[in-house]
Amino acid sequence: MPSEAGPPEAGPKARHPSARRRLLSWRKPRSVAGQVFLLQLVVVLLLIATAVAALVIQDRNRALQEAKDRSLVVAESFANARGTAEAMESDDPTAELQPHAEAVRKRTDVDYVVALSPYGFRWTHPDEDQIGKHVSTSYGNALEGEPHQTTFDSSLGKAVDSTVAVFNDKGTAVGLVTVGVTVDKVTGVVQDQLPVIFAAGGVALLLAAGGSALVSGRLRRQTRGLGPVEMTRMYEHHDAVLHAVREGVLILDGDGGLLLANDEARRLLALPPDAEGRPVADLGLSPALAELLGASRAVTDHVVLAGDTLLAVNVRPVGPREGCVATLRDTTELRALAGRADVAGGRLQLLYEAGTRIGTTLDIGRTAEELTEVTVPRFADFATVELVQSVLHGDEPTGASTEMRRIAVAGIHDDAPFRPVGTPLRYREGNPVTTGVTTGRPVLVADLAASDGWRAQDPERSRRLIAYGMHSMISVPLRARGQLLGVVQFWRSEQSPFEPDDLSPAEELATRAAVCIDNARRYTREHTTAVTLQRSLLPGTLPELSALEVGHRYLPAQAGVGGDWYDVIPLPGARVALVVGDVVGHGLHAAATMGRLRTAVHNFAALDLPPDELLAHLDDLIARIDTDAAAEGDTEAVTGATCLYAIYDPVSGLCVLARAGHPGPALVSPDGSVTFPDIPVAPPLGVGAGLPVETAELRLAAGSRLVLYTDGLVEARDRDIDVGLDMLREALAATRDADLDDTCQTVLDTMLRTRPSDDVALLVARTRLLDPDQVAEWDVPDDPAAVPRIRAEAGRRLESWGLGEAAFTTELILSELVTNAIRYGRSPIGLRLLRDRDSLICEVADGTSTSPHLRRATFTDEGGRGLFLVAQMSRRWGTRYTDRGKIIWAEQALDGEAAGDLSGLLDL
């Protein structure tokens, strides 16, 4: 019947495959039934995985909630337990609470039970080393009576922390209790439900397998319905395709005999006409190829040599003993092209990495090191970089000197006999490096041993390099904008020698590196200029004063110099002005603006202006700077400036402060307590819009430390300012007995663990008070007849101070000042003498605000020489205004300075 037609060799056994072949078909499903079964298997496994995931998520959510409940219950139970509040108010809360906390932790199976003070210091902890340390976690809500819970990832997995407050009988929060428990301690329900899911999945898989078996049997019966014509046509089609392909095809039986070879295979292997039916070993093939084909194991793109042809061989076994099918492909030309393509691709990848890895910083040395790191070992075994001396300092290369200095060395080994980093080098004529520098092109030395010019530079070191294994070298000049920056040299000792094709990538690498080095050089020049400008604008050394002992620090930001500044300015009457300011931004503009402000502060301080008036003048100055910048089209206006100005009087201990947008100071009392006085704050400079500036007065005891700083000390991107102030308080409290320089260093080490993103200025001043015996005061009657008495009393005081030699000059000065106050001023009139460490200050106060003026009298004038005489006898003199009038002062030097030449006046 037609349905039973088949090939001539077909029989009952051929129509019924063996059980072994069926099993193989299940292991390697190529039929529709097998693919359907795989699809069903994937669906069932996906459903199982989804169910398990859902259970796990549900269990984790339940466990998280249970952990929250457990930690909250334990925390509230411990907080509300009898005696907890009394223990926290006791003299030693740790001794009272630690045993109970550990007992509760073990009974309730939580991770920790920690009691905290209202300020965040631990009273209890499972790790006793942590007791007494501060906790920076926010617990403000808990102190207000509302339990606080947080979920976080610990080293043992996700954990829950609950914090509650402990209140005494008066309703005051006396402490905190925080309890933590990991979620894994309350999980485990999902394991009970997994067997049910896996059982259901197994049943589904069995049903899928049974259905696939039925479908497979039916398909096998249907494929037997092919007739002779269809089978013949299929065979002809297969034969035509077999001999038309450009790949050799071999079919072998289980014993290694050749069953079929197409035309391409005969050509590639030069097979004889009667090759079919013969063993592969008898076909005259190379041993490697014969062994590969006869082994009947799977092989993919295995390259073997057949005569002069490289063949890529693929072998696919049909069954354990049923033979295999092998394909052969001629890859001789393809391998050569692929090799060249790999080399080109490797060079492109190297250049790409060079573009991304070289120049990541603006440091010249680091950029040179990045060049060597990129090229070793992918392009060279060793690499060295030398730069012109002027480039290292950021200067423009002029070409006047070609002396270089080695700045980077890298290689596959660390013991190569190269000159070390930092060695100055000057190359001789005839050296490949000199040739490259002269021509501006890379130079290849394919054989170092045969290069006389290279060996003549340093014969001994050349001999050691050749003995080490160096055989070839490429020298490339580093040039940017037509200027020579240096030289990079690539060396090979283990790789194959350099070839002319290597010159192009070497030059490309050098070109890219040269641009980066030139950018780093220009940045170095600008940075050096900015640093020099800023250092010149900041005070070099602060004056030694009897009123204060001062310590200071300035730390530039990671981005470079900025606009933070500080100063200490001596004022008349042994007083001193302390100032700290901040100009927003970095670079030359910020440094220059800082210099202008510092100069303005010095000028205003010379006028002896009070802090509020001085800041008002600074505000006007910043506004005018911005107006001038806008008129000139300059986009770099002052985007923000702050300032704190304080005047300290060592006679009274009074300190008057005012600030414009600047952080307030810290005050350390002699007993070591740290406070932050409330100083009224005005808007930053330039945006005050004429608003008044308020001042604050502090009465400072001797030995107090006044700490002025900029916001970069306490503010950070990852730290709240309140946390920074707390850290500053702790750092200052820990330096009670330290000197001021150590105090500054301790504060910086504590507050700034890494290089800050903003520059920092810090000024610490320890106050002193003048001994009452150093001050003498008199009330002067409004009567010229009182002048002799006052002069005599002042002379006696000078004698008691041991300053009798200065009595004549002092009496002359105070006579003139007191007489002018009586004649032109208004009551009350007062005289004060101050003895400072190296000066004697005479101050005369009266009730008018009219300031005297110095003038030169002519020979015929009866008067007009008084103030000129005072100016000649004094080191300096001036006028300052008070709320009740003015003070005219004159300062004399006690260190042996000669007074002015008065001979001309005495002759008149």
Side-chain angles (χ1 to χ4, degrees), residues 660-671:
H662 201 84
L667 178 61
V668 185
S669 301
D671 60 0

Side-chain angles (χ1 to χ4, degrees), residues 556-586:
Q558 188 174 10
V561 297
D564 288 13
W565 56 285
Y566 59 89
D567 212 338
V568 177
I569 306 173
L571 296 178
R575 297 170 304 137
V576 61
L578 302 174
V579 56
V580 174
D582 182 6
V583 177
V584 176
H586 298 90

Side-chain angles (χ1 to χ4, degrees), residues 86-99:
E86 290 78 6
M88 289 183 175
E89 292 180 319
S90 65
D91 295 334
D92 190 358
T94 298
E96 296 288 336
L97 296 174
Q98 176 70 5

Side-chain angles (χ1 to χ4, degrees), residues 25-44:
S25 66
W26 281 106
R27 291 176 58 190
K28 298 182 179 180
R30 292 185 294 272
S31 64
V32 175
Q35 295 174 358
V36 170
F37 175 73
L38 285 179
L39 178 61
Q40 293 173 340
L41 175 63
V42 170
V43 171
V44 171

Side-chain angles (χ1 to χ4, degrees), residues 445-455 466 471:
V445 181
D447 186 0
L448 290 174
S451 176
D452 296 335
W454 175 76
R455 288 188 290 109
I466 293 175
H471 52 69

Side-chain angles (χ1 to χ4, degrees), residues 107-151:
R107 287 199 304 269
T108 58
D109 196 24
V110 297
D111 291 292
Y112 58 84
V113 177
V114 178
L116 306 173
S117 70
Y119 302 99
F121 292 92
R122 296 189 180 100
W123 282 332
T124 69
H125 197 277
D127 184 2
E128 294 183 357
D129 294 337
Q130 300 296 321
I131 295 177
K133 294 185 177 181
H134 188 264
V135 178
S136 60
T137 307
S138 175
Y139 43 79
N141 293 338
L143 290 175
E144 295 176 2
E146 181 180 355
H148 179 70
Q149 284 190 323
T150 59
T151 303

Side-chain angles (χ1 to χ4, degrees), residues 523 527 530-531 534 554-563 585-587 755-760:
Y523 170 78
H527 180 72
V531 170
Q534 187 186 45
Y554 172 77
L555 187 62
Q558 188 174 10
V561 297
H586 298 90
R755 186 77 176 271
S757 58
D758 190 12
D759 46 346
V760 174

